[in-house]
Amino acid sequence: MSSSSKNSADTLQRFSFDNTDIRGEVAHLNASFRDVMKRHQYPPMIATELGELMAATALLSANLKFAGRLTLQVRLPGNVSLLQAESSDKGELRAIARYDDTVAAEELSFDNGQMVITIEPEDGQRYQGITAIDGGNIAKAMEEYFEQSEQLPSRFWLECDGENAAGFMLQKMPAATSSDADAWDRLTHLASTLKQDELLHLNNDVLLHRLYHEEEIRVYEPSELKFFCTCSKPRLATALMQLGYDELDNMLQESSKIEVNCEFCQQHYSFDRAQVDELFPQRNPH
């Protein structure tokens, strides 16, 4: 194991164990999580859950071997209806929650619903998997998804304290042989001793040494995680075009501009009459 001490803030780092078919990932989201939170006034319970979802999304993004995007959605029937986090293959993250803001914070609840995993390559087939989620338990839902859909035994540990978020994953890969038959039980048991403060604040080298100093562990170069929103005026223009010219024309008759805010980053965009007309050259009356 490397003795170098890298800053583990806002990184995704892979590790594996020699003579086993087990790999792991550890993700830290500090500035990237706070960049999401400063754009929204989410109640603490939602902020914590969203931080855990972002950490899970970062861990899964390690599987993106192509240009594209991975999205995790928690869809619920109650007063919290949606939690969504996205990551690109470049480690660019964004997230959003939808909930009834007329309900007192202590009455918000994560009813049982669905977790939806969507993988969208820039070139290739879109993939979507769905699993149940109970009581907002993201880690358990992820484990059940990989067990049932991918036949890959997996364990997830997710933490968020409202300022920082982090995730830790172990996964048993398909392999014909392994010289260490007890490795999975032993390694997951050791990971279960992780405390919230350790996962959130310890440097990865220190964290992995504390858990696995008696194991033959191989640690790989970390990759950067950061907040980044993919919104842009051209993308919003494309979305507006779906409404059709007549609808946009009616909106412009009521106001001189169409005002749009990005849900994720709160960036403000506006479209005036001339800009809307440019979207529909065949209907342009001028």
Side-chain angles (χ1 to χ4, degrees):
M1 179 172 168
S2 168
S3 61
S4 65
S5 179
K6 296 179 185 293
N7 183 0
S8 297
D10 294 281
T11 55
L12 175 66
Q13 189 160 30
R14 177 175 173 247
F15 57 93
S16 61
F17 299 91
D18 291 349
N19 306 312
T20 77
D21 52 6
I22 298 165
R23 72 178 188 96
E25 301 278 351
V26 58
H28 290 274
L29 297 87
N30 303 327
S32 50
F33 171 68
R34 291 192 290 269
D35 278 344
V36 170
M37 291 303 109
K38 72 184 182 183
R39 289 167 168 81
H40 305 276
Q41 301 300 315
Y42 292 136
M45 184 174 71
I46 288 182
T48 298
E49 192 82 359
L50 202 59
E52 291 186 10
L53 190 68
M54 288 180 67
T57 305
L59 291 171
L60 290 193
S61 72
N63 295 325
L64 288 176
K65 308 302 183 187
F66 46 78
R69 177 160 295 275
L70 183 146
T71 301
L72 273 184
Q73 286 185 328
V74 176
R75 300 175 182 172
L76 305 169
N79 52 31
V80 179
S81 58
L82 177 72
L83 301 169
Q84 180 172 324
E86 302 175 5
S87 177
S88 73
D89 57 291
K90 301 180 183 68
E92 298 164 338
L93 296 151
R94 65 179 190 171
I96 192 173
R98 291 185 187 141
Y99 63 101
D100 185 349
D101 59 7
T102 66
V103 174
E106 61 272 15
E107 294 178 11
L108 293 170
S109 63
F110 300 107
D111 297 329
N112 296 346
Q114 290 183 324
M115 173 175 281
V116 182
I117 301 170
T118 306
I119 299 173
E120 299 174 280
E122 287 183 7
D123 299 304
Q125 187 72 31
R126 181 175 181 266
Y127 167 82
Q128 192 167 79
I130 300 175
T131 191
I133 183 167
D134 299 328
N137 192 330
I138 296 167
K140 184 170 179 286
M142 296 300 303
E143 291 167 4
E144 291 179 353
Y145 168 77
F146 276 102
E147 185 71 47
Q148 295 168 9
S149 301
E150 308 290 334
Q151 287 76 53
L152 294 176
S154 307
R155 290 292 309 276
F156 286 79
W157 292 265
L158 306 170
E159 297 288 355
C160 180
D161 63 1
E163 290 289 324
N164 307 287
F168 191 94
M169 178 189 76
L170 291 177
Q171 195 164 69
K172 189 174 183 180
M173 307 304 293
T177 59
S178 173
S179 60
D180 190 345
D182 300 322
W184 179 250
D185 289 341
R186 185 178 70 253
L187 297 173
T188 55
H189 172 72
L190 290 169
S192 295
T193 67
L194 260 177
K195 297 177 175 63
Q196 182 191 54
D197 189 64
E198 292 175 322
L199 181 52
L200 286 173
H201 301 298
L202 284 182
N203 176 280
N204 285 350
D205 283 352
V206 175
L207 175 70
L208 292 171
H209 178 74
R210 186 173 292 189
L211 288 177
Y212 298 125
H213 55 275
E214 295 183 356
E215 306 291 336
E216 293 182 53
I217 188 169
R218 194 178 301 268
V219 182
Y220 302 87
E221 281 296 310
S223 57
E224 181 185 4
L225 299 172
K226 60 185 176 182
F227 170 79
F228 180 79
C229 190
T230 57
C231 75
S232 67
K233 193 154 187 172
R235 284 191 175 207
L236 279 173
T238 300
L240 285 177
M241 287 175 68
Q242 305 304 311
L243 296 175
Y245 180 84
D246 291 340
E247 179 66 23
L248 299 179
D249 182 56
N250 288 337
M251 294 168 69
L252 285 167
Q253 288 180 29
E254 296 176 8
S255 176
S256 61
K257 290 184 179 180
I258 296 173
E259 311 283 353
V260 184
N261 272 7
C262 173
E263 279 190 291
F264 286 92
C265 71
Q266 302 300 309
Q267 176 68 42
H268 180 76
Y269 297 92
S270 66
F271 295 81
D272 59 21
R273 168 68 69 180
Q275 291 168 326
V276 168
D277 285 345
E278 285 178 8
L279 301 179
F280 299 89
Q282 72 279 15
R283 294 290 302 271
N284 191 340
H286 303 300

